[in-house]
Amino acid sequence: MPNVTPQYLERRPNLPLARAWVAIEANDLTEIPLLGRVSAGVPIEACPEVGSIQVPTSMVRRNTYALRVRGDSMVDCNIFDGDVIIIERRESAENGETAVVMINDQEVTLKKLYIEKSGVRLQPANERMAPIFLRNDDIQVIGLVMGVVRQTELAA
């Protein structure tokens, strides 16, 4: 069985998300809650889970948690199916930020958020997938992506 080790990617500020990731060392680890899954694709029902994950202390802010990604709508932002994303709990996002969004208090999804005249556009970072258009009242931002934990296989 191959040896699996996590790779930690931290978001550098003020860069497009596709180029914002820098690999960091895992010298000092802190445990944060792993609260379930988020869809990078069609929104899925919010199903909280209880768990935890060790991440570099430098990735931890005041209200930090983690979610496991399911789907491939964010591949152009270097976020892949199976990755664990590190989220800073926030209730708002700037135009173009990658956010975890709750839709109608039921479903969650991971998308780039754009505020438009007619409402909100949740834009996938995958040209093969269509955006989701909603009214402002239909969504709630629940966090912003600050880091990624990716499991990588090492040759034995």
Side-chain angles (χ1 to χ4, degrees):
M1 185 165 148
N3 212 1
V4 178
T5 184
Q7 176 186 16
Y8 301 99
L9 304 171
E10 189 169 40
R11 182 177 176 189
R12 293 179 292 181
N14 304 321
L15 287 174
L17 201 58
R19 298 183 319 205
W21 304 113
V22 61
I24 60 171
E25 294 295 319
N27 297 330
D28 187 22
L29 296 175
T30 299
E31 192 169 297
I32 64 169
L34 178 60
L35 298 181
R37 294 187 193 111
V38 64
S39 172
V42 176
I44 60 172
E45 185 177 346
C47 295
E49 296 175 15
V50 178
S52 64
I53 186 170
Q54 297 274 334
V55 300
T57 301
S58 65
M59 295 172 87
V60 178
R61 308 284 190 281
R62 190 167 35 118
N63 291 311
T64 303
Y65 63 98
L67 295 168
R68 186 169 306 279
V69 175
R70 290 286 173 238
D72 59 1
S73 74
M74 299 305 291
V75 295
D76 292 342
C77 284
N78 202 24
I79 298 173
F80 299 96
D81 184 55
D83 284 351
V84 173
I85 52 174
I86 309 307
I87 304 296
E88 183 177 348
R89 192 178 310 271
R90 294 255 189 98
E91 295 179 5
S92 64
E94 298 292 321
N95 230 12
E97 285 193 294
T98 301
V100 176
V101 177
M102 182 169 287
I103 302 170
N104 295 323
D105 293 323
Q106 295 176 0
E107 301 171 320
V108 290
T109 190
L110 174 66
K111 299 283 185 286
K112 289 175 162 279
L113 181 121
Y114 293 94
I115 294 112
E116 300 181 340
K117 287 181 183 177
S118 59
V120 175
R121 173 172 45 106
L122 301 178
Q123 182 69 46
N126 182 332
E127 62 185 28
R128 296 181 327 230
M129 297 184 163
I132 299 170
F133 296 94
L134 298 164
R135 296 180 327 205
N136 290 342
D137 293 346
D138 293 340
I139 69 139
Q140 176 186 356
V141 173
I142 57 176
L144 301 179
V145 177
M146 305 311 284
V148 174
V149 179
R150 180 167 298 142
Q151 301 294 329
T152 56
E153 290 186 14
L154 298 177

